[in-house]
């Protein structure tokens, strides 16, 4: 039996039926990582083989005794290297935390362990989650499994690539402005950003506190739902995590089978989405998805999000302001890199942060510091908060007319490594469709919707009201089935023999 | 100097008070003073990557209590904000505080009068001693930072202990209503009392649970515009506050009188040398880049919660003193001594109630004498506070009743009290055990007097010759012979009779 | 008009970051473009009115002690340590001077 590219749900069924063991599944995943990660560079740290197999065997024993802790117990998973783990270093893709070992585990890491998933390692990312291509990692870029000369997207490029190449069926990333949805689109997998406050941020190294959410990657909407069930829920250690109860997301999907997820659903398509820069093949994929949805019983209408054009500016002021403060702790005093101590305290601060941070991180810290600084706060940060409020209200008004908003995830398929690095602003503009969901705290999912003529994946994005993940997942699940774009395998990474 | 312009000082105070919670403001680490360095820390107060703050409900309750005791309006909604700066004892590179929307605003406190007093406008220039209302601009919650040590001769390093990071603080800021160093000292004294009485802060300035910064400027008497102000930090005693202000006011006055201009700067008070030293000037003034803390949603306080806090406020020091003066006829000074701490005030009133349930003024005064006198003396000798005193309030009452019944003399009673405290036993037992019971038995006293007369022929002769002073000596001998327990009045009478014979 | 070169270096001092030689060449111009881009928000009139979504209130934690980190976990990653204390280059000038 081979396991590469099998959905988590299928693996779970195999495990439950005794057709497979976790040991075999985990061993196969480790083998596949060992064979393929050199080309991909998705992983920054991989579990010790013996330890991982021991945990897998333990899950097999628990299952045999009738005590499997969850449906996904025994299934391997990778997580982005900005969630702290005692078992692995946490670098956030940065020199300033190279080799850093946290003395505690993130809340999601605890939940995964309690649910019996087997954590196989940490994945590559843009430094401190700042980027849309994973080219800003201090440890080298991750490559897109569909074309190794292209980016997998970012900042959660490692996790997306790992799932896309069938290394593991499940992975976690974090999404602040699209850092899970965009790589999902560029790599041809499913990526869901939950509503803000759905998943605990305790242990997620902060980039932009009011925008960050830990987000699942998988090969199907159902798998994402299963994983979301495990990581979602109020955590007393995160004051921004919400009281909302966690429904059985996957069960709700089963109930919405046979396309019921789309019947009678009102879908809005914002007219502000159709701007210059939107690749015609991406636009075509979106229109096809809308046709498919209509055929399944959904109604589609235009909506307007008039402040959407200001979204990028708004995001890049708020996110960078929060980041400039969140990253002040990296100063060479308590952990991480320290250089320049011989030039005194101030010299140490300046030199450590010069050597430890890459150019993009520096750019964003400077922009954020500027936006908060005396004399500029009102015009920059203050104004951005006001516009954020307007964007929130635009969505609230739209959701009075429709239940879901559909559109592109990214304006283009995967671009070449190095293609957008000369001009940071160009890179920022590619977040246009994803970052509004973070600003408005909405859940959003990207599902594969087809491929370009060059064979590169194209995703579509669906957004819903806060905490309306059940409707979002049901509709996405129905659309996924009809679009028939899921489960594609990059030719360069065939399944195991 | 005749003809020289007079100057007046304008003073504002910022006080930071550590709250008496068990745990820190944003994490569950204990707040005990004196723990081993870097042992009371966790990912949150260490600012480890990925950590997040969660607000301590008791810190909020104490802050509300303090705000109400200082007559501030508690805002139903307040916001935490980040104050961003770099310093090794500030692990996150920012302090979580409150800025644009603090917990409470617009309060006041009276100084210059022990208890009730008419409010006097802040610009009245009233001299120290007249009752004045000092306006309090705001009160807000924030976290404390760690401690840095700069070892003498330790060369090129500073050492950091992060235990104190995250201890809850309230910051209380006055309007610039104070006018004299003494007034400022009194403000701090009264504030300490209020915070101690309400069990918000233990007010221990030596340990740093109460810290003071002052802002002071000087202007020609009668001017309305404010002069340039300087800030003095590191004043860790009330004496320091007064001395620091006196020194700085004198300095600024000299500068202005000499035609110069005061430079705005921050000074550090050196208590040993009694001088304020300018902190090394920085290239740029601080830009703290305050913005709302995204990890903490707004703090919401309901009217019901504020009402509950208000109802649970204990009687505040000024009101308590006023009541003792009115109900018991104590002098304001005595009332002040007895209400120096809440525990002492509670002790005193419990003793009064135990001695005289009707709480008449005479009884209250009697108890006051004993508490102010012997009790405080015993505590001072042992360097203890009332909490460590082993005599319960009812014990004072028992002792006074023994005195009333003549079973023990005043002098002996002091010894009895000391025994009760030392051994933790009741009044009667201490009296018996120490042999303090007053002797009023005439037979026994006659025998003692007879022996004293027999053993002191010369002094007796002197008394008979008219030397009264020697009589006191002989009374002392009788007391000595009876180990201080002779009923003094009776012993004196019998001695007089005994000498008078023959 | 975005941000001047001098302004970029002033902000870098505020953020306690030195730029490498290469960054000192390229970053100021890049930031100038970015700031100019974000200035488009000036066209949006200042908003008024209530929040679209209800603002939650901050949850409160009971005042009960919890476990602290063992010292080796707390200071284990410290670049410099003297016994139980963190060591840094000497602080000059008192609080906030760095």
């Amino acid at each position: 039996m081979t396991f590469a590219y099998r959905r988590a749900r299928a693996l779970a069924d195999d495990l439950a039926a005794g057709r497979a063991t976790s040991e075999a599944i985990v061993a196969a995943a480790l083998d596949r990582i060992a064979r393929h990660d050199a080309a991909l560079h998705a992983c920054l740290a991989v579990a010790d083989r013996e330890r991982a197999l021991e945990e897998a065997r333990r899950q097999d024993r628990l299952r045999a005794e009738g005590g499997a802790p969850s449906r996904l117990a025994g299934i391997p998973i990778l997580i982005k290297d900005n969630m702290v783990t005692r078992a692995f270093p946490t670098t956030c893709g940065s020199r300033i935390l190279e080799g850093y070992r946290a003395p505690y585990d993130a809340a999601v890491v605890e939940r995964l362990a309690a649910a019996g998933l087997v954590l196989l390692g940490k994945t590559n990312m843009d430094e401190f989650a700042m980027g849309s291509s994973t080219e800003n990692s201090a440890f080298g870029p991750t490559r897109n499994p569909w074309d190794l000369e292209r980016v997998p997207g970012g900042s959660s490029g490692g996790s997306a690539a790992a799932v896309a190449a069938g290394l593991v069926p499940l992975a976690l990333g974090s999404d602040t402005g699209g850092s899970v949805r965009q790589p999902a689109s560029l790599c041809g997998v499913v990526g869901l950003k939950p509503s803000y406050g759905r998943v605990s941020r305790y242990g997620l190294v902060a980039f932009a506190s009011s925008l960050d959410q830990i987000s699942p990657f998988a090969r199907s909407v159902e798998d994402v739902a299963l994983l979301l069930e495990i990581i979602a829920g109020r955590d007393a250690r995160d004051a921004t995590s919400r009281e909302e109860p966690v429904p059985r997301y996957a069960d709700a999907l089963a109930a919405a089978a046979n396309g019921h997820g789309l019947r009678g659903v009102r879908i809005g398509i914002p007219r502000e989405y159709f701007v210059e820069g939107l690749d015609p093949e991406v636009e075509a994929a979106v229109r096809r998805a809308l046709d498919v949805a209509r055929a399944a019983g959904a109604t589609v209408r235009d909506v307007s999000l008039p402040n959407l054009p200001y979204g990028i500016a708004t995001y890049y002021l708020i996110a960078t302001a929060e980041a400039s403060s969140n990253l002040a702790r990296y100063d060479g005093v308590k952990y991480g890199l320290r250089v320049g101590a011989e030039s005194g305290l101030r010299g140490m601060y300046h030199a450590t942060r010069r050597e430890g941070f890459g150019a993009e991180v520096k750019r964003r810290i400077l922009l954020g510091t500027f936006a908060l600084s005396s004399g500029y706060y009102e015009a920059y940060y203050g104004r951005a908060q006001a516009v954020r409020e307007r964007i929130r209200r635009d969505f609230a008004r739209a959701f009075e007319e429709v239940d879901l908003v559909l559109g592109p995830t990214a304006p283009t398929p995967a671009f070449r490594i190095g293609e957008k690095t000369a001009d940071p602003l160009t890179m920022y503009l590619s977040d246009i469709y994803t970052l509004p969901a973070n600003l408005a705290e909405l859940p959003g999912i990207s599902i594969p919707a087809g491929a370009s003529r060059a064979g590169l994946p194209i995703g579509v994005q669906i957004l819903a009201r806060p905490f309306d993940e059940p409707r979002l997942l049901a509709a996405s699940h129905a659309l996924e089935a009809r679009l028939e774009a899921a489960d594609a395998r990059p030719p360069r990474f065939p399944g195991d023999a | 100097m005749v003809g020289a312009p007079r100057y007046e000082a304008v003073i504002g105070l910022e006080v930071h008070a550590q709250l008496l919670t068990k745990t820190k403001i944003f994490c569950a680490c204990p707040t005990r003073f004196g723990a081993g360095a870097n042992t009371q820390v966790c990912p949150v107060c260490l600012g480890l990557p990925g950590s997040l703050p969660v607000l301590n409900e008791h810190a909020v309750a104490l802050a509300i209590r303090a705000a109400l005791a200082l007559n501030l309006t508690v805002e139903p909604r307040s916001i935490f904000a980040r104050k961003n700066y770099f310093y090794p004892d500030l692990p996150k590179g920012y302090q979580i505080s409150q800025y644009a929307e603090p917990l409470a605003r617009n309060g006041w406190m009276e100084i210059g009068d022990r208890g009730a007093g008419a409010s006097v406008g802040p610009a009245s220039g009233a001299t120290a001693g007249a009752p004045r209302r000092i306006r309090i601009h705001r009160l807000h919650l924030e976290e404390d930072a760690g401690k840095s040590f700069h070892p003498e001769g330790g060369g090129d390093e500073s050492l950091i202990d992060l235990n104190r990071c995250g201890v809850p603080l309230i910051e209380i800021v006055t309007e610039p209503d104070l006018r004299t160093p003494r007034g400022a000292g009194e403000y701090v004294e009264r504030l300490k009392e209020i915070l101690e009485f309400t069990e918000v802060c233990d007010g221990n300035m030596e340990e740093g649970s109460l810290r003071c910064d002052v802002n002071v400027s000087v202007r020609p008497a009668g001017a309305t515009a404010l002069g340039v102000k300087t800030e003095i930090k590191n004043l860790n005693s009330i004496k320091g506050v007064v001395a620091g202000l006196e020194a700085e006011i004198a300095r600024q006055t000299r500068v202005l009188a000499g035609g110069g201009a005061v430079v705005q700067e921050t000074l550090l008070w050196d208590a040993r040398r009694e001088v304020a030293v300018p902190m090394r000037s920085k290239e740029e003034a601080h830009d703290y880049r305050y913005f709302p803390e995204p990890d903490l949603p707004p703090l919401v306080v309901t009217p019901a919660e504020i009402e509950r806090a208000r109802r649970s406020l204990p009687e505040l020091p000024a009101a308590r003193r006023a009541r003792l003066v009115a109900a018991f006829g104590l002098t304001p000074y005595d009332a002040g001594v007895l209400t120096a701490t809440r525990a002492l005030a509670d002790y005193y009133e419990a003793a009064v109630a135990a001695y005289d349930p009707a709480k008449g003024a005479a009884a209250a005064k009697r108890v006051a004498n004993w508490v102010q006198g012997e009790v405080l003396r015993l505590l001072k000798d042992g360097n203890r506070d009332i909490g460590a005193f082993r005599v319960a309030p009812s014990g004072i009452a028992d002792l006074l009743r023994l005195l009333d019944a003549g079973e023990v003399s005043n002098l002996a009673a002091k010894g009895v009290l000391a025994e009760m405290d030392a051994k933790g036993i009741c009044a009667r037992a201490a009296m018996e055990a120490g042999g303090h019971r007053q002797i009023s038995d005439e037979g026994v006293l006659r025998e003692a007097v007879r022996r004293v007369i027999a053993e002191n022929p010369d002094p007796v002769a002197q008394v008979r010759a008219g030397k009264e002073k020697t009589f006191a000596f002989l009374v002392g001998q009788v007391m000595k012979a009876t180990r201080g327990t002779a009923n003094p009045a009776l012993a004196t009478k019998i001695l007089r009779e005994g000498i008078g014979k023959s | 008009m975005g941000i001047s070169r001098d302004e970029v270096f002033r902000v870098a001092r505020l953020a306690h970051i030195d730029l490498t030689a290469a960054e000192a060449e390229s970053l100021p111009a890049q930031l100038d473009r970015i700031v100019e881009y974000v200035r488009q928000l000036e066209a949006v009139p200042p908003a008024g009115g209530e929040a679209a979504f209800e603002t939650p209130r901050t949850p409160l934690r009971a005042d009960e002690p919890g476990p602290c980190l063992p010292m080796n976990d707390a200071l284990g990653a410290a670049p410099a340590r003297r016994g139980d204390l963190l060591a840094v280059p000497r602080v000059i000038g008192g609080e906030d001077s760095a």
Side-chain angles (χ1 to χ4, degrees):
Chain A
M1 192 174 215
T2 69
F3 304 110
Y5 295 114
R6 279 180 78 71
R7 294 183 175 187
R9 166 72 199 273
L11 292 171
D13 289 347
D14 288 344
L15 286 166
R19 289 190 292 269
T21 62
S22 171
E23 184 177 5
I25 294 172
V26 167
L30 287 168
D31 289 341
R32 204 167 161 81
I33 290 170
R35 202 175 325 129
H36 293 302
D37 197 49
L40 274 179
H41 192 41
C43 299
L44 291 178
V46 181
D48 171 80
R49 190 186 180 83
E50 237 344 276
R51 286 235 206 95
L53 290 177
E54 211 173 281
E55 177 58 23
R57 282 192 286 265
R58 193 172 79 85
Q59 292 301 326
D60 286 328
R61 271 196 307 275
L62 285 172
R63 188 182 301 275
E65 291 156 14
S70 79
R71 271 163 88 173
L72 296 181
I75 291 179
I77 188 168
L78 291 167
I79 68 176
K80 187 176 183 182
D81 203 18
N82 60 355
M83 295 169 226
V84 294
T85 46
R86 273 183 299 194
F88 303 95
T90 303
T91 70
C92 300
S94 178
R95 286 237 173 278
I96 218 166
L97 282 179
E98 191 169 5
Y100 172 68
R101 288 300 272 256
Y104 74 107
D105 286 321
V108 291
V109 172
E110 290 174 346
R111 284 178 182 245
L112 293 177
L117 285 99
V118 183
L119 181 58
L120 290 191
K122 312 292 284 294
T123 56
N124 199 14
M125 52 184 284
D126 282 302
E127 187 179 2
F128 284 106
M130 300 185 192
S132 309
S133 64
T134 311
E135 293 173 284
N136 294 325
S137 168
F139 309 112
T142 297
R143 293 162 184 282
N144 191 315
W146 292 87
D147 180 339
L148 296 179
E149 300 310 308
R150 292 180 185 261
V151 302
S155 58
S156 312
S159 285
V163 171
L167 304 186
V168 286
L170 300 169
L172 290 182
S174 69
D175 189 313
T176 305
S179 291
V180 160
R181 289 163 287 154
Q182 183 253 25
S185 176
L186 268 50
C187 289
V189 295
V190 180
L192 166 81
K193 180 197 87 66
S195 313
Y196 183 81
R198 177 75 286 186
V199 179
S200 171
R201 291 186 299 117
Y202 183 74
L204 170 68
V205 179
F207 157 21
S209 317
S210 73
L211 301 164
D212 294 340
Q213 270 296 280
I214 293 175
S215 307
F217 283 104
R219 303 193 58 80
S220 70
V221 173
E222 183 181 29
D223 283 359
V224 155
L226 284 165
L227 187 48
L228 183 63
E229 262 177 50
I230 287 169
I231 61 174
R234 165 108 171 84
D235 178 12
R237 297 166 296 184
D238 173 6
T240 61
S241 77
R242 304 278 158 87
E243 279 294 344
E244 299 282 337
V246 181
R248 304 287 305 253
Y249 290 116
D251 290 355
L253 282 189
N258 299 324
H260 283 241
L262 285 167
R263 187 159 309 154
V265 172
R266 302 169 301 167
I267 296 179
I269 176 98
R271 59 182 75 106
E272 292 82 9
Y273 272 2
F274 298 95
V275 289
E276 199 185 303
L278 176 57
D279 183 300
E281 291 189 278
V282 174
E283 184 175 343
V286 169
R287 300 223 180 268
R288 180 179 156 246
L290 288 171
D291 290 340
V292 165
R294 267 192 218 96
T299 55
V300 176
R301 49 173 294 175
D302 274 2
V303 292
S304 178
L305 302 169
N307 291 285
L308 199 82
Y310 299 115
I312 294 170
T314 303
Y315 172 86
Y316 276 96
L317 284 169
I318 294 174
T320 59
E322 293 178 3
S324 72
S325 179
N326 284 326
L327 269 61
R329 67 192 67 200
Y330 304 106
D331 57 9
V333 172
K334 314 154 298 281
Y335 40 76
L337 182 73
R338 171 190 287 202
V339 299
E342 63 285 353
S343 0
L345 182 65
R346 185 132 193 182
M348 182 186 89
Y349 285 150
H350 283 239
T352 297
R353 292 156 69 77
R354 179 190 69 229
E355 295 305 311
F357 289 143
E360 183 59 37
V361 167
K362 286 192 178 105
R363 260 189 297 271
R364 297 199 193 193
I365 290 177
L366 293 181
L367 182 57
T369 305
F370 175 71
L372 292 174
S373 64
S374 173
Y376 295 104
Y377 179 99
E378 265 319 307
Y380 290 93
Y381 181 79
R383 184 59 63 89
Q385 288 290 23
V387 181
R388 180 175 185 176
E389 200 39 54
R390 285 175 168 252
I391 290 172
R392 263 199 258 253
R393 278 193 237 156
D394 284 355
F395 275 107
R397 265 193 294 272
F399 282 123
E400 280 165 17
E401 315 287 313
V402 299
D403 305 307
L404 300 172
V405 168
L406 190 148
T409 305
T412 66
F415 43 92
R416 279 181 219 292
I417 292 174
E419 185 179 322
K420 296 198 180 184
T421 48
D423 180 14
L425 194 52
T426 311
M427 192 75 85
Y428 297 169
L429 295 175
S430 62
D431 295 333
I432 180 174
Y433 300 112
T434 47
L435 50 85
N438 303 81
L439 290 171
E441 302 186 355
L442 310 176
I445 195 169
S446 179
I447 62 172
S452 70
R453 272 186 303 274
L456 298 170
I458 294 174
V460 293
Q461 174 183 248
I462 308 169
L463 308 178
R465 299 180 188 90
F467 295 94
D468 205 10
E469 278 88 342
R471 190 196 316 258
L472 177 64
L473 290 165
S476 312
H477 180 64
L479 192 56
E480 171 189 61
R482 282 166 156 66
L483 286 175
E484 294 174 337
D487 283 328
R489 301 178 182 197
R492 171 70 176 70
F493 298 94
D496 302 327
Chain B
M1 287 183 295
V2 175
R6 284 189 59 245
Y7 294 92
E8 67 177 9
V10 175
I11 299 167
L13 248 57
E14 260 175 45
V15 172
H16 290 87
Q18 285 184 344
L19 300 180
L20 284 169
T21 53
K22 288 189 252 176
T23 64
K24 296 185 177 183
I25 189 173
F26 297 122
C27 66
C29 289
T31 52
R32 244 183 347 103
F33 180 81
N38 289 307
T39 57
Q40 283 182 166
V41 290
C42 76
V44 177
C45 53
L46 278 176
L48 296 189
S51 60
L52 293 171
V54 183
L55 184 57
N56 179 335
E57 73 181 354
H58 198 49
V60 177
L62 292 182
I64 291 175
R65 201 189 289 175
L68 295 175
L70 294 168
N71 306 292
L72 287 130
T73 303
V74 176
E75 297 291 339
R77 189 170 174 276
S78 62
I79 308 283
F80 285 93
R82 293 190 184 177
K83 178 180 182 181
N84 297 281
Y85 64 95
F86 288 83
Y87 202 73
D89 69 8
L90 191 69
K92 295 188 292 293
Y94 57 86
Q95 176 199 29
I96 300 180
S97 176
Q98 294 186 299
Y99 181 63
E101 297 184 61
L103 176 67
R105 300 179 207 259
N106 297 333
W108 53 267
M109 195 230 291
E110 261 175 15
I111 59 166
D113 182 74
R114 296 243 177 196
S119 74
V120 179
S124 71
T127 56
R132 296 194 48 225
R133 184 173 279 202
I134 305 301
R135 292 170 303 163
I136 295 175
H137 178 52
R138 54 186 276 152
L139 178 153
H140 71 252
L141 277 163
E142 60 183 31
E143 57 177 346
D144 209 343
K147 281 207 183 127
S148 9
F149 304 96
H150 318 290
E152 301 294 326
D156 52 6
E157 275 187 343
S158 291
L159 303 175
I160 315 291
D161 173 14
L162 297 174
N163 274 355
R164 204 180 62 175
C165 293
V167 167
L169 297 176
I170 43 175
E171 178 175 328
I172 303 164
V173 183
T174 70
E175 300 283 7
D177 288 352
L178 291 158
R179 293 288 175 271
T180 64
R182 252 185 65 190
E186 195 188 335
Y187 170 86
V188 177
E189 185 99 57
R190 296 285 88 78
L191 181 61
K192 251 183 75 159
E193 264 177 8
I194 289 175
L195 296 178
E196 193 265 325
F197 261 64
T198 50
E199 294 177 290
V200 166
C201 173
D202 67 18
N204 189 327
M205 292 182 84
E206 295 77 48
E207 285 180 0
S209 25
L210 193 80
R211 287 169 240 154
C212 231
D213 298 334
V214 304
N215 290 298
V216 57
S217 64
V218 163
R219 65 185 176 192
T224 47
L226 292 173
V228 174
K229 69 180 178 195
T230 61
E231 184 184 10
I232 312 177
K233 295 172 103 73
N234 200 40
L235 298 158
N236 42 29
S237 65
I238 292 179
K239 276 213 192 83
V241 169
V242 176
L245 280 167
E246 278 170 352
E248 180 59 11
I249 289 169
R251 185 190 74 84
Q252 286 193 19
T253 303
R254 274 197 306 275
V255 167
L256 291 181
V262 172
V263 172
Q264 176 165 358
E265 56 187 343
T266 303
L267 306 159
L268 273 181
W269 178 245
D270 181 331
R272 207 175 38 85
R273 292 163 43 209
E274 299 219 329
V275 291
V277 178
M279 285 172 62
R280 174 171 287 223
S281 64
K282 303 141 237 181
E283 309 100 63
E284 66 265 327
H286 274 296
D287 180 357
Y288 293 118
R289 305 183 298 285
Y290 286 98
F291 71 102
E293 170 58 81
D295 290 330
L296 292 171
L299 173 58
V300 170
V301 181
T302 63
E305 285 163 354
I306 297 176
E307 225 2 76
R308 231 189 343 263
R310 194 185 300 282
R311 271 186 269 119
S312 76
L313 271 180
E315 190 179 22
L316 296 180
R320 193 154 191 179
R321 280 192 288 267
R323 181 169 58 76
L324 294 182
V325 165
F328 296 159
L330 299 180
T331 63
Y333 176 79
D334 289 348
V337 172
L338 291 167
T339 57
T341 66
R342 163 113 172 256
L344 184 62
D346 289 348
Y347 185 94
Y348 167 68
E349 291 204 60
V352 170
Y355 180 53
D356 174 11
K359 297 193 215 142
K365 282 227 181 76
R366 195 127 186 263
V367 174
N369 286 339
W370 274 88
V371 173
Q372 269 178 272
E374 281 308 296
V375 172
L376 285 186
R377 187 185 64 74
L378 285 167
L379 291 178
K380 183 156 176 244
D381 285 350
N383 201 19
R384 299 172 290 161
D385 55 37
I386 191 72
F389 196 55
R390 296 182 72 188
V391 181
S394 55
I396 303 286
D398 291 342
L399 183 59
L400 289 177
R401 279 192 276 271
L402 289 180
L403 266 169
D404 292 342
E407 292 203 47
V408 71
S409 72
N410 227 13
L411 177 59
K414 295 184 185 177
V416 172
L417 183 64
E419 285 281 298
M420 288 166 76
D421 178 35
K423 302 210 174 102
I425 52 180
C426 74
R428 184 165 291 282
M431 182 182 71
E432 305 289 3
H436 293 297
R437 183 190 282 274
Q438 182 164 255
I439 301 174
S440 299
D441 182 322
E442 291 211 16
V444 174
L445 287 179
R446 275 187 210 292
E447 182 46 38
V449 164
R450 191 198 59 72
R451 265 214 313 278
V452 164
I453 288 176
E455 285 164 11
N456 293 278
D458 288 335
V460 169
Q462 285 176 30
V463 172
R464 282 182 184 142
K467 237 182 165 179
E468 260 309 297
K469 267 203 210 139
T470 321
F471 182 75
F473 165 76
L474 289 171
V475 171
Q477 290 302 99
V478 173
M479 296 307 286
K480 200 164 147 206
T482 58
R483 283 174 299 113
T485 56
N487 180 323
L490 200 47
T492 305
K493 173 167 158 289
I494 293 171
L495 179 62
R496 189 96 41 214
E497 286 172 5
I499 294 174
K501 289 188 195 142
S502 89
Chain C
M1 185 44 213
I3 182 175
S4 72
R5 199 181 165 76
D6 281 349
E7 194 71 33
V8 168
F9 287 113
R10 182 190 71 83
V11 170
R13 267 198 304 280
L14 206 48
H16 286 53
I17 289 187
D18 279 348
L19 301 179
T20 65
E23 288 162 352
E25 275 307 303
S26 55
L27 250 62
Q30 290 169 340
L31 283 168
D32 186 34
R33 275 202 67 205
I34 294 168
V35 171
E36 198 171 330
Y37 175 81
V38 299
R39 287 189 66 179
Q40 67 181 241
L41 294 186
E42 284 168 15
V44 183
E50 347 73 68
F53 300 104
E54 200 184 279
T55 333
R57 41 188 293 184
T58 201
L60 297 173
R61 174 180 57 81
D63 187 28
E64 288 306 325
C68 294
L69 278 179
M71 182 170 322
N72 279 330
D73 280 355
L75 301 186
R81 223 178 125 165
R82 300 285 162 261
D84 297 346
L85 297 165
L86 283 171
V88 297
R90 197 169 187 91
V91 176
I92 302 165
E95 187 201 303
D96 295 16
S97 71

